[in-house]
Each structure stands twice: as C-alpha cells, then as structure tokens.
Amino acid sequence: MKTYNTVKIEKEGGITWVILNRPEKRNCMSPELHFEMVDVLIELESDPETRVLILTGEGESWCAGQDLKAFFRELDGKPAERRRAEWATHEWRWRHLLTFPVPTIAMVNGYCFGGGFTQLVACDIAIAAEEATFGLSEINFGIFPGGIVSRVIADAMSYRDALYYSLTGDTFDGKQAAEMRLVNYAVPLDKLRDETVKLANKLIDKNPAALRATKEVFKTCRNMDYTHAEEYIGAKLVALRATDPEKGRDEGIKQFIDDKTYRPGLESYQRKE
Ligand code: COA
C-alpha cells in the first residue's frame, strides 16, 4: 500500500482502517486530502484484504469539515483549481465511499463538523463516542451546509433536527446523535475501538457477495418507484445467485432444511472459508 501525507491506512484481520491524518488541523479536509482519498479508495476497492472499511480520524477529532483556509479561501479566484478540488471531494465521498464494495463503518472519535457529515452519511453504519461533538456549523461562519450536506442531512436526520441544527449551529454529542439516529449507537470513547472491531468482525463472518448486494440494492432502490424497484431487485437476486462464489443461498437453505444445523432467523449458515 502507498503512503500518503494526509491519510493513514492500517490493515488487520480483514479490517482496513482509513484514518484522516491531519490531527493538528482537527482532520479538516484540504484539497490534498481529497485527492489522496480518491486514490486511497480506488486502491482499496479492489483490495482482497479489505473486508470491512472503518473511517476514522487521528487524534481528538473525526473530521472538522472542509479546510476553511485551503479548501475555501485559498481557492477563491482560482476556478480551475476549485473545480478540481470540488470534483475530488465529491468523488471520494459520494461516488466511491457511498458505493464502496464492502461494508463501511464511520467510527466517530471526536469532532464532526459541516462537510464531515457527507462521509458520515455515505458510510453504511456509524458508531460514535458518547463524547464526540457534532455540528452543522456553517451558519456560524455565514453560509449554509454546502457541497451536498443539505441533501444528505435530509436523508439521515429528521426534518426538525436538520433544520434546528443547521439554523442554530448548536452542537450535539454522540449520545444525542444516537438518539436522533444520525449514528447507529454511541459508546464511551474508551470502548469505541473495541466495539467497532466487534461489529466489523460480525460483518466479516457474513457472505461477502451477499453483503455487497445488500448495500447496493438498498442504496440504489431508495429513489426508485415500486415498479422499477421490484424489477431491479429481482434482477439483482438472479445476478447474486449466478455470481456468488460460495453459492450462499443454496448452501444456507440446505443447512436449514436438509441438515437442520442452524436456524437462519437466529444465526448465519456455516461458511467454508
Ligand atoms: N478549517 C481550517 N482550519 C481548521 C479547521 C477548519 N475547518 N478546523 C480546525 N482548523 C485549524 C485551526 O485553524 C487551527 O490551526 P492553527 O493551529 O494553524 O491555528 C487548528 O486547526 C486547531 O484548531 P483549534 O480551533 O485551535 O482547535 P480546538 O481544539 O480548540 O477546536 C474545533 C477544534 C474543531 C472546535 C475548531 O477548530 C473549529 O471550530 N473548527 C471549524 C469547524 C467547522 O466549522 N467546520 C465546518 C467546515 S465545513
């Protein structure tokens, strides 16, 4: 794996940790970070060792949003550079991360502000430290949630919470983020890593082809009408059966109906790995 200036990659037991690595700047996102993240995700998308991706931040912050100096002010009057940086910010977070082929977990260890909400929502699952601090702070520096933040919060926050927090700029903590379902759950900071690894290992035990199809189907058909969704889901089921190397569907049904070795309502079939 290559090395990067603004991102650290660590791999262990099927988990790939992607760690935003500008702790002295609270992991705010500069153009360089965006370009590096495009490269990181393209590399990892075809990496057989990556069974689950965990996105987190070095130090006390998860991501303090866009870099107001390097991404905002320094690109003023430089339309071509701005365009390139905007392409990269959208490309890694909304094109690659949203559709990443293996499950993705946002492990929110600290500050999560503004632009950071985009990759928070792009990840499949999010776990926060109870002590983490979230904020749609744009109103505090005279703008509104830009990029696609105003759009993604409409998916991931309630109507009332999205408007309340983007109008007031008030912060909320990890516990509140869990209560409002912006993250799946929150745990004390000193347990955050262990709990996230536990969840990642649960996912690693599942059939990878079925996992991939599960997230693709869910994310793709959210914006379809029912007729298209039914047709698309039917086609994906056929595609999964045809391409799953471990033939999970046939094996899973056989172990339940014929062998009577497990109950799918309560656990996974026994995979041969
Ligand atoms: N853009 C640019 N620089 C940022 C930044 C951002 N989003 N977030 C933090 N930094 C920089 C600070 O300017 C400071 O740089 P310096 O050491 O060169 O002076 C450094 O990171 C540390 O920040 P500081 O404010 O001193 O740390 P803190 O721990 O006291 O506070 C935050 C942390 C995250 C609460 C605070 O930095 C902050 O409010 N950042 C902006 C968050 C935001 O509104 N983001 C939305 C952008 S879309």
Side-chain angles (χ1 to χ4, degrees), residues 24-26 28 60 64-69 72 111 113-115 137-138 141:
E24 71 293 347
K25 297 284 180 192
R26 307 299 180 260
C28 68
E60 69 196 78
Q66 296 289 8
D67 186 322
L68 298 187
K69 184 163 173 268
F72 277 32
Y111 295 121
F113 284 113
S137 53
E138 288 87 342
F141 58 95

Side-chain angles (χ1 to χ4, degrees), residues 222-246:
R222 292 188 77 210
N223 297 318
M224 287 181 175
D225 63 35
Y226 282 83
T227 308
H228 289 110
E230 186 183 8
E231 186 62 28
Y232 164 77
I233 292 169
K236 282 292 268 196
L237 275 171
V238 174
L240 175 61
R241 280 192 78 183
T243 56
D244 178 6
E246 64 184 67

Side-chain angles (χ1 to χ4, degrees), residues 61-96:
S61 180
W62 191 65
C63 175
Q66 296 289 8
D67 186 322
L68 298 187
K69 184 163 173 268
F71 186 84
F72 277 32
R73 202 172 59 190
E74 286 176 0
L75 297 184
D76 285 348
K78 297 178 185 158
E81 285 181 37
R82 167 158 310 226
R83 187 70 204 102
R84 270 185 214 108
E86 280 173 352
W87 169 83
T89 185
H90 191 74
E91 184 74 3
W92 79 262
R93 298 182 304 164
W94 211 248
R95 195 172 130 60
H96 291 280

Side-chain angles (χ1 to χ4, degrees), residues 110-182:
Y111 295 121
C112 173
F113 284 113
F117 277 59
T118 299
Q119 63 263 35
L120 177 71
V121 177
C123 286
D124 303 324
I125 296 174
I127 306 177
E130 289 174 355
E131 299 88 335
T133 302
F134 294 78
L136 291 163
S137 53
E138 288 87 342
I139 194 70
N140 294 337
F141 58 95
I143 64 166
F144 57 85
I148 53 167
V149 177
S150 284
R151 177 66 185 84
V152 303
I153 59 174
D155 279 341
M157 296 173 83
S158 77
Y159 181 86
R160 290 283 166 231
D161 287 332
L163 280 168
Y164 180 88
Y165 286 104
S166 54
L167 288 170
T168 62
D170 282 0
T171 59
F172 51 95
D173 66 19
K175 272 188 187 170
Q176 291 170 289
E179 278 160 20
M180 62 175 81
R181 310 306 298 143
L182 175 61

